[in-house]
Amino acid sequence: MQSSLTLAVGLSLCGWAQAAVLPVELMQLGPSDPATQSYNLQELRDVRVFARSAAGFKQSRLFWQQRVDGQWQAPQPMPFTDIRWRDSDPHLSSNGKTLTFISDRPAAGEQALGQLDMYESTLSDGQWSAPRRLSESLQSKAYELGPERYGDRLYFASYRPGGPGKLSVYRSDRLADGGYGAPLALPVPVNEGPSNSDFTLTPDGRYALWWSDRHAGANRGDADIYMAERVGAGFGPAIRLPEPINGPGFEFTPSVSSDGQWLIFASTRPGKHAAGLSQLYRISWPALLKALGPQVEAHSQLELEQKHSALWRAISHKAGEASDIGLLGSLLHPQAQVWGQSLRTANLDIKAWSGSEFLALLKAPAPEALYECEVHREIRRYGAHAEVYSVVESRRRADQVQADGVGVNSGQWQLGPQGWQLLSLHYAMALPGQAPPPQARQSGDCMA
């Protein structure tokens, strides 16, 4: 059962204003006790996990909820959760078989730890295992919060000393021997300001979300949710999400449902619960991306443009020199293919090379110079996939007016863990007797 809070939002993005309506829904998970709060909900296909507690996150316990025949069943406590301990911040791995969470339960005995450490439980034959502590190399004497596992990488927040802030987000990668590397604090824009936590990734891995108090000022009881685009190992600028997502109160524990339809978050905004406690809300993720406009892809779009320009710069070389193989190698996907077409003896002849074969062709110094000048570019993009059509002039001297040849090119680019990489390049020389391809720039006016 959902109730809706529909608010009109005026957004000023990239110098222009756009009116948007973003309906926020209150998620009714029960119980209706106003002294109980819910937070940290993750929706993975037909399973939900979340935490529930009293004020001050006391008596926190883990719950899970299953969807049967399209209907969500009543939440049930996780079988291993224990009222003697505080269990919180649950997160399921992508296959739904590993649950990572925090707890103050002791490794042995009956005395609570007095701190929150990271634990995991695994699902096998329909049964959840007893919780086990994660590697001691990950833990500290301070509180650890919000652990999330993505493959062999673990993200979490910690109050440990030595971080960029009082509360900072870290990552650690699993090593070949099964252990973990030293936790590394994430760079700006994630770790900026006093406190940052609840780092999460969207199902496609393209965006990171987290909460931060960087703009809270004197009101330390306030925090907002931010997002940033992931490109390779880095992040684009932090984007503070608009109202009604952020508002009066503390917004935290963001997550995006596995079907990509909902942004789910907790907020202490006023409602039918005790002041200062949180309830869970959701908002359409596609509608939010649309409302935010071009800025959500601006960082990766800029890198795509830069890398496509770098392609022609890397192929170019002076007389007696070779192409920049190092730069070209970083641009090509390991399984890249290059296709070349030219007119020979009244037939359209086409050749194909693997990426490594193409690099080998350009590795040796050439007696003549080659200057590639891109004079036209069109980009068609959908998320992490992009097609770039370009027109490139070739010259043997940088100062010559007339091009020696004109080629049309179609490049397929993919945004992945290494940033944008070229999957395939198909180039063809302009045909005699046929009108030249369209150009946005004058001949010799090369794109940067």
Side-chain angles (χ1 to χ4, degrees), residues 29-47:
L29 297 172
S32 58
D33 181 0
T36 300
Q37 63 179 348
S38 299
Y39 51 94
N40 231 124
L41 186 142
Q42 178 197 11
E43 186 173 305
L44 182 66
R45 295 181 290 277
D46 291 327
V47 174

Side-chain angles (χ1 to χ4, degrees), residues 158-373:
S158 177
Y159 281 99
R160 64 188 62 194
K166 178 182 178 182
L167 174 61
S168 304
V169 178
Y170 295 81
R171 69 171 176 85
S172 177
D173 294 341
R174 194 192 296 270
L175 304 175
D177 62 3
Y180 286 86
L184 301 174
L186 296 189
V188 172
V190 176
N191 281 319
E192 183 176 338
S195 300
N196 296 275
S197 187
D198 293 341
F199 180 93
T200 190
L201 298 177
T202 55
D204 58 9
R206 292 185 56 222
Y207 296 99
L209 297 106
W210 71 100
W211 70 257
S212 177
D213 64 358
R214 64 191 63 188
H215 291 137
N219 185 8
R220 291 302 177 197
D222 192 11
D224 291 329
I225 296 174
Y226 290 77
M227 65 177 285
E229 191 180 15
R230 291 177 74 214
V231 180
F235 301 89
I239 302 171
R240 180 186 177 275
L241 299 188
E243 294 181 357
I245 300 167
N246 288 317
F250 197 103
E251 279 73 47
F252 63 113
T253 64
S255 70
V256 175
S257 58
S258 61
D259 62 4
Q261 294 303 304
W262 299 102
L263 167 62
I264 302 165
F265 63 99
S267 175
T268 61
R269 66 192 59 189
K272 295 180 179 179
H273 54 290
L277 299 187
S278 67
Q279 295 189 88
L280 286 161
Y281 300 85
R282 72 178 189 176
I283 190 169
S284 167
W285 176 247
L288 173 61
L289 292 179
K290 182 178 180 180
L292 289 172
Q295 65 174 330
V296 296
E297 291 188 334
H299 186 67
S300 62
Q301 188 73 11
L302 177 60
E303 184 183 272
L304 175 60
E305 299 264 7
Q306 291 173 338
K307 286 202 169 183
H308 194 75
S309 294
L311 174 67
W312 308 116
R313 187 169 64 251
I315 293 175
S316 301
H317 59 80
K318 295 179 180 179
E321 296 182 1
S323 299
D324 189 339
I325 301 303
L327 177 55
L328 275 174
S330 69
L331 298 175
L332 295 179
H333 188 275
Q335 296 175 296
Q337 292 283 322
V338 178
W339 306 81
Q341 183 175 303
S342 61
L343 183 66
R344 293 186 179 182
T345 62
N347 288 306
L348 288 174
D349 180 47
I350 190 166
K351 291 186 177 181
W353 302 270
S354 66
S356 58
E357 290 171 336
F358 185 68
L359 292 176
L361 287 175
L362 302 179
K363 184 177 182 179
E368 290 186 314
L370 175 63
Y371 296 98
E372 300 282 59
C373 176

